[in-house]
Amino acid sequence: MAFPLPSHLPRKVDVSSQILSKLDSATWQTLNSSVALSWCKELDECINQAKNRIHDRIRSDIAAFDTQLSSAKSAQERLSTLSDGINSLNRSVFDPESGAASSTLETLKQHHALAQASLNADVLHASLQHLVKCKAQLDLAQTTADTGDLPAAVRACSELQRVLAASPGPLAEASVIGDMKRVSQVIDNRVSELLEYAYSVGLVVTEQYITVRPSVLVSGSATPLPLSSVLSSLSPSAVTARLASLRRDLTSHYVDRVLRSSTSVTPTTEDDSSDIIVHKIQCFTSKDSTSHDISLNTLSHVLDFLDEKVFPHLPSPQRESFPRTFAKPVTSSIMTNLLIPSLPSTLESLPAFLQLTRKAVEFESQYVVGLLGGDSVDREIKAWADNLCAHYERARRVHILGAIRNVILERAARIGDTFVAEVRIPPEGVLPVQTTVANQRSVIECSPSSEDAWNLDDNQSFGMNHSGSAVDEQSWGFDDEIEQPERTGVTPESNSEVKAGPDPGDAWGWNDDGPPEEPMGEEAGSSSSHEGLWDDDPWDDNNSPTNPPAAPTVASVVQFQKLTPEQQVAGGSTNGSSKASRGLSHVRKETYLVSTLTTEVVRTVESCLEEGKALATSHIFPQPSTSSPGNLIMHSTSLVLELYCGLYPVVAASRLSDTTLHVQFSNDCFYLSEELDRVLLKAEAPSDVQRKLQEGRADLIVLADSWFYDAIDKQVMTLCNTLASAGGFTGTSDQDRYDECETTVTAVLQNIKRLARAWKHVLPKGKYHVAMGNVVDGVLSRILDDILAIPDIPEVESHKLGELCRILFTLEELFVEDAESLVASFVPSWLKFSYLSELLEASMADLTYLFDEGALVDFEIDELVKLVRALFADTPLRAKTLNKIMGGHPIR
């Protein structure tokens, strides 16, 4: 092959290419005859030169040229001879008349036709033979079906279906085979219907009876058919469906029904009208209740009947599998319909139930495992019976919680279902600031008159015969060395015996300030509901209020402010030094209102503990379970408390929005906590139960405190919202503006007094003073902040503000006890508020004197500075006073 010449080498250009290039570059102006003639001459010269070179080449080696020429001529002759031979052979082979190929093809065609005829004959013969076989099998199926030999008909139909399916290819598409298939399907359907009829006659399960015929006579049959052959002849899908229906009917009519209701069975054997034996078991339901032992005996009779009369007729594969599948429904029914519903709710009923459980275990061993072939390892009834103690206690716990839940739901809708609990306080012997807390206090306990300790739904009247504590452990400032008084019981008067007394507000002298106003929130209904139930003074304070003594010294106030809220209650409620000086020896009593629902809760807790201990010591269970007997029941005590704490505030939410009932719920929680303390002292419960009860008691104390202070916060917020209408007490120099502020302060005063009347009947004296002290302190703090925030107070306005402050001085009457005022003990901002009213109308000299004497220690330095700048003009004296004040309070 020719190789391309590299581009960098010079190319040899022939004459023709040169002439063509010249022809291409010529134009019509330069192209003429002379130019064309010159080009022709160049071509001729080039041709002549080529010829000369060829001749020269031949002459240079003439011998070789002659040899090649003779070889070429010889090859041409041989080629011509070979072409003639090939043409002659082609004519002898492919000639249409005498060629070998034509005669061979004709012979092959004749052989193919003969082979096709032979094949057609063979196929026709085979098809006719198969068709004869199908016809014979069809006649057999038709004959056996007509004569009533259903098992043979089933076999014949099955064979016919197999033969028809195995038809040769040409015959399978013939119409005769299609007709035979349709006839075969008709015969098969007819046989299936007869078998279904024979089964429905041979084995009948209804709600009233079970009928078993070992032999069945069908139409067209001269001899009865065995029931076993009927079942064996059914198709697998039909057998599965029939056995599933049988299992469902037996479970519904003869297992569940026997265990649920009073039922008896009677097996009989008799002959029917065709002299065929009929085995029958009839079921009768009576209205009279029977024992559970009889139910198990009845069920055993049913299973014996099935084992003798039904199971032997089942086909061989199902003869063993069907009883095993029937074992699980029997076990589940015994558990669901017999054992679990019969689980007793009292300890006295346990022996009979244990006897029933033992019989159920024996029944499972004999019938479920032995007769039905159930699993001998996984015995559900025995496993349940081994843990019977835990099952009983869980069921008992559900019953207890359900009963107390119903009681809570019922009592939540009642109004006035309360009693008075009494706190007996030992005499004090130390100063209020340095007192310690007593370990125990006496409280009245309500015990029901019902004989049944678990009859939670009965509405019983209660007497007071137990003791407990009415306030938390940090509420009183008594020395621990004081001997505790003996617990006593007091029976309160019933509501029908209590006479309506005068208005409680008259005993306090609160209604003399002006006409009554609308109570805050829902206090009106609460106050009115209590006014007819209590006397003028629920704490038996018969001494009328007197003028309060002078304010305590600054040192005593500072010392009091360093105490905790609980110590403030103790110190404020006892007024230690003055009372100790009198040497009082009698036991002081305080009362508070408690809902009777709390007695039900306490009684439930005590009964749970008693029942748990009784169960633990009874040794009634044959073997120990996973948990100690009685432990779950005793643990129900904490669940009862959790249920009360979680459910009652929800179901009684609308009632608890009333401020009186709000603090009463706090009393209830505290009463329950103290009763739990009493229960724990006398109860001998396991450590984990006691720990749970201690946690429940702590939760109740937290709940009592949170509801108590939540009620206080809500009232303070309401009163502060009322004070907001005063607009910060600015501009009181204007008479109209002063009248608005005076109306607001008077409304707050009346609302506080109304709240005091409502809470006095509910709270014990100590907590009442704490609650009212916090409410009054919140109001006074708001007024202090508003007044101290005024940047400029003219002289006229300062006098008006002082008058507004003095309106609230009557609140001191709320804290008078035994002719002594305790207001400074319970209202931390009282002295600060009192001095503010004086400072508003004091001179610079008076203010400086009070500051030097340490009377203004309640004020912050920046508050005094702002007050001085607001009250006095900018003078050298004011600047000197401010410098002294900013130097800090004097040290005493």
Side-chain angles (χ1 to χ4, degrees):
M1 61 178 294
F3 293 96
L5 189 65
S7 58
H8 64 281
L9 296 178
R11 293 179 181 271
K12 182 179 180 180
V13 181
D14 57 355
V15 177
S16 60
S17 298
Q18 294 178 357
I19 300 235
L20 290 176
S21 298
K22 293 177 180 180
L23 181 62
D24 180 65
S25 61
T27 61
W28 64 274
Q29 292 93 353
T30 59
L31 184 60
N32 50 35
S33 58
S34 60
V35 174
L37 183 60
S38 63
W39 293 346
C40 290
K41 288 180 179 180
E42 289 181 7
L43 288 175
D44 291 339
E45 288 178 0
C46 183
I47 293 171
N48 292 330
Q49 290 177 2
K51 288 179 178 181
N52 292 331
R53 285 195 301 270
I54 292 172
H55 290 163
D56 292 341
R57 179 65 176 171
I58 292 173
R59 284 193 295 270
S60 63
D61 194 3
I62 189 64
F65 175 77
D66 292 338
T67 301
Q68 293 178 0
L69 179 62
S70 62
S71 298
K73 290 179 179 181
S74 176
Q76 185 176 9
E77 292 176 358
R78 290 195 300 272
L79 177 61
S80 175
T81 302
L82 183 60
S83 298
D84 294 339
I86 290 174
N87 291 334
S88 176
L89 181 62
N90 189 30
R91 284 192 300 269
S92 63
V93 173
F94 295 104
D95 187 67
E97 296 179 357
S98 60
S102 298
S103 60
T104 302
L105 288 176
E106 184 64 26
T107 302
L108 290 176
K109 289 179 181 179
Q110 293 175 1
H111 182 271
H112 174 72
L114 181 60
Q116 183 65 40
S118 176
L119 179 61
N120 291 341
D122 292 340
V123 171
L124 179 60
H125 180 265
S127 298
L128 290 176
Q129 281 186 336
H130 191 81
L131 188 61
V132 170
K133 186 178 180 180
C134 291
K135 182 65 171 62
Q137 197 65 37
L138 179 62
D139 293 340
L140 178 61
Q142 185 70 46
T143 302
T144 53
D146 293 340
T147 57
D149 190 2
L150 299 182
V154 169
R155 292 191 295 271
C157 289
S158 177
E159 181 64 21
L160 178 60
Q161 294 291 341
R162 187 191 67 79
V163 171
L164 291 175
S167 299
L171 183 62
E173 299 177 359
S175 60
V176 63
I177 294 298
D179 295 339
M180 285 187 177
K181 288 182 178 180
R182 285 190 291 271
V183 174
S184 174
Q185 188 65 39
V186 171
I187 296 173
D188 186 65
N189 292 339
R190 179 186 173 193
V191 171
S192 298
E193 291 177 359
L194 292 175
L195 288 173
E196 294 286 346
Y197 169 76
Y199 172 82
S200 64
V201 174
L203 182 57
V204 181
V205 179
T206 64
E207 190 176 354
Q208 291 77 25
Y209 57 84
I210 300 175
T211 302
V212 181
R213 289 178 170 83
S215 300
V216 182
L217 187 64
V218 297
S219 61
S221 176
T223 59
L225 297 175
L227 180 60
S228 58
S229 64
V230 171
L231 290 172
S232 300
S233 300
L234 288 171
S235 63
S237 60
V239 171
T240 303
R242 285 295 180 178
L243 292 183
S245 177
L246 175 63
R247 181 169 54 250
R248 182 179 63 252
D249 293 340
L250 291 176
T251 304
S252 175
H253 300 322
Y254 293 93
V255 178
D256 295 344
R257 179 186 173 193
V258 166
L259 296 175
R260 287 175 183 169
S261 58
S262 302
T263 307
S264 61
V265 294
T266 303
T268 59
T269 301
E270 57 186 14
D271 296 338
D272 62 0
S273 59
S274 302
D275 295 332
I276 297 177
I277 298 176
V278 179
H279 303 291
K280 189 175 185 179
I281 182 170
Q282 290 182 300
C283 185
F284 303 95
T285 302
S286 62
K287 297 182 179 179
D288 299 333
S289 61
T290 59
S291 64
H292 298 298
D293 298 341
I294 298 178
S295 299
L296 286 176
N297 294 333
T298 303
L299 182 59
S300 65
H301 293 328
V302 173
L303 293 179
D304 289 335
F305 179 83
L306 294 176
D307 182 59
E308 296 175 3
K309 308 301 182 184
V310 177
F311 295 160
H313 297 289
L314 298 178
S316 56
Q318 288 80 15
R319 195 170 300 166
E320 296 180 358
S321 62
F322 179 77
R324 283 198 298 268
T325 60
F326 191 56
K328 183 63 176 179
V330 171
T331 303
S332 300
S333 182
I334 293 174
M335 293 292 301
T336 305
N337 300 316
L338 184 64
L339 295 180
I340 295 177
S342 304
L343 197 63
S345 59
T346 59
L347 189 61
E348 292 76 10
S349 304
L350 268 178
F353 183 75
L354 289 174
Q355 182 68 22
L356 173 64
T357 305
R358 284 192 291 270
K359 290 189 176 182
V361 173
E362 295 174 359
F363 180 89
E364 182 185 34
S365 176
Q366 180 180 356
Y367 286 93
V368 176
V369 177
L371 189 146
L372 298 178
D375 191 357
S376 60
V377 177
D378 185 15
R379 297 177 58 181
E380 183 178 355
I381 296 178
K382 185 177 185 305
W384 188 87
D386 292 341
N387 200 26
L388 180 59
C389 178
H391 295 305
Y392 165 75
E393 293 189 62
R394 279 193 286 267
R396 185 70 183 123
R397 180 173 60 187
V398 172
H399 177 77
I400 293 171
L401 295 178
I404 193 64
R405 177 181 180 275
N406 294 333
V407 171
I408 293 173
L409 294 177
E410 177 189 359
R411 298 295 181 86
R414 295 186 184 180
I415 299 177
D417 194 2
T418 57
F419 69 95
V420 177
E422 186 177 274
V423 185
R424 306 179 70 85
I425 308 299
E428 310 85 357
V430 293
L431 292 175
V433 176
Q434 301 174 350
T435 54
T436 57
V437 181
N439 292 329
Q440 297 179 358
R441 275 81 54 191
S442 298
V443 177
I444 296 172
E445 176 186 21
C446 299
S447 62
S449 60
S450 173
E451 297 178 358
D452 185 6
W454 289 102
N455 191 9
L456 300 178
D457 295 331
D458 293 342
N459 299 326
Q460 302 290 344
S461 60
F462 298 95
M464 309 301 183
N465 60 0
H466 80 88
S467 59
S469 179
V471 292
D472 58 32
E473 298 177 354
Q474 299 293 331
S475 296
W476 304 99
F478 302 141
D479 190 69
D480 292 336
E481 298 177 358
I482 298 178
E483 182 179 358
Q484 298 299 325
E486 182 180 357
R487 298 186 178 185
T488 60
V490 180
T491 304
E493 297 179 347
S494 61
N495 291 342
S496 59
E497 298 175 353
V498 178
K499 297 182 180 179
D503 186 1
D506 295 339
W508 292 78
W510 291 340
N511 296 335
D512 299 336
D513 297 331
E517 298 179 3
E518 291 296 327
M520 295 182 297
E522 299 181 5
E523 294 174 17
S526 175
S527 299
S528 61
S529 63
H530 295 297
E531 285 175 359
L533 298 177
W534 310 101
D535 55 9
D536 291 343
D537 193 349
W539 300 329
D540 295 331
D541 291 344
N542 297 324
N543 297 329
S544 60
T546 60
N547 293 330
T553 62
V554 175
S556 64
V557 175
V558 173
Q559 187 178 17
F560 175 80
Q561 290 176 346
K562 295 180 181 179
L563 301 179
T564 62
E566 290 79 5
Q567 292 171 333
Q568 293 179 19
V569 174
S573 60
T574 58
N575 199 17
S577 59
S578 60
K579 290 191 176 183
S581 63
R582 295 189 182 91
L584 297 178
S585 61
H586 67 280
V587 177
R588 188 162 52 86
K589 297 182 294 183
E590 293 185 3
T591 59
Y592 63 102
L593 206 61
V594 182
S595 172
T596 56
L597 174 60
T598 56
T599 61
E600 299 287 355
V601 177
V602 173
R603 185 173 64 177
T604 302
V605 172
E606 291 177 335
S607 300
C608 287
L609 295 176
E610 293 173 1
E611 183 178 354
K613 289 189 291 185
L615 184 63
T617 57
S618 64
H619 305 291
I620 193 172
F621 293 100
Q623 59 183 5
S625 60
T626 56
S627 60
S628 302
N631 194 31
L632 292 179
I633 293 181
M634 286 189 282
H635 271 289
S636 301
T637 55
S638 60
L639 299 179
V640 170
L641 299 176
E642 292 176 4
L643 180 63
Y644 172 79
C645 296
L647 180 62
Y648 185 78
V650 176
V651 298
S654 59
R655 295 180 57 223
L656 294 179
S657 60
D658 179 87
T659 181
T660 303
L661 298 178
H662 199 102
V663 294
Q664 181 180 315
F665 180 67
S666 173
N667 289 350
D668 295 346
C669 295
F670 184 78
Y671 177 81
L672 284 176
S673 68
E674 292 302 312
E675 285 301 288
L676 283 180
D677 193 18
R678 177 186 62 81
V679 170
L680 286 171
L681 288 176
K682 71 175 186 178
E684 297 178 358
S687 59
D688 55 343
V689 176
Q690 291 186 359
R691 185 178 67 256
K692 284 288 186 181
L693 287 177
Q694 290 287 0
E695 293 175 359
R697 180 178 181 273
D699 294 339
L700 285 169
I701 293 177
V702 172
L703 193 62
D705 292 341
S706 63
W707 279 75
F708 176 71
Y709 288 106
D710 182 64
I712 295 173
D713 294 340
K714 287 182 178 179
Q715 296 306 314
V716 172
M717 184 180 299
T718 302
L719 294 170
C720 289
N721 291 336
T722 304
L723 288 173
S725 61
F729 298 96
T730 58
T732 54
S733 56
D734 181 71
Q735 186 62 36
D736 293 336
R737 186 75 182 90
Y738 173 78
D739 292 340
E740 294 176 3
C741 296
E742 183 182 21
T743 302
T744 300
V745 174
T746 304
V748 170
L749 174 66
Q750 295 299 326
N751 288 334
I752 293 176
K753 290 183 176 181
R754 189 177 298 107
L755 179 65
R757 288 196 298 272
W759 282 1
K760 186 176 182 180
H761 296 295
V762 179
L763 295 172
K765 184 182 296 185
K767 296 187 75 172
Y768 164 81
H769 285 152
V770 172
M772 295 309 302
N774 279 273
V775 171
V776 174
D777 185 70
V779 172
L780 299 185
S781 298
R782 173 60 184 269
I783 296 176
L784 281 167
D785 293 340
D786 290 345
I787 294 178
L788 292 175
I790 301 176
D792 186 21
I793 304 176
E795 181 179 359
V796 176
E797 189 170 336
S798 64
H799 290 291
K800 296 291 186 179
L801 292 175
E803 293 176 5
L804 292 176
C805 293
R806 283 189 290 273
I807 294 176
L808 298 179
F809 281 2
T810 57
L811 293 176
E812 189 173 5
E813 299 171 353
L814 304 179
F815 305 95
V816 174
E817 181 180 358
D818 296 336
E820 295 185 9
S821 175
L822 308 176
V823 64
S825 300
F826 291 100
V827 185
S829 60
W830 182 263
L831 294 178
K832 183 178 180 180
F833 183 78
S834 301
Y835 283 123
L836 176 64
S837 63
E838 298 296 332
L839 294 177
L840 289 172
E841 302 182 38
S843 63
M844 186 74 72
D846 296 335
L847 188 148
T848 304
Y849 173 77
L850 292 174
F851 181 79
D852 293 337
E853 292 297 324
L856 305 181
V857 291
D858 291 329
F859 289 90
E860 298 292 338
I861 296 298
D862 57 343
E863 291 178 342
L864 289 175
V865 171
K866 290 171 58 178
L867 184 62
V868 170
R869 288 175 177 172
L871 290 174
F872 301 102
D874 187 7
T875 60
L877 180 59
R878 190 187 78 168
K880 180 180 179 181
T881 304
L882 288 176
N883 291 333
K884 177 184 291 187
I885 292 174
M886 286 187 289
H889 290 288
I891 298 176
R892 293 286 179 177

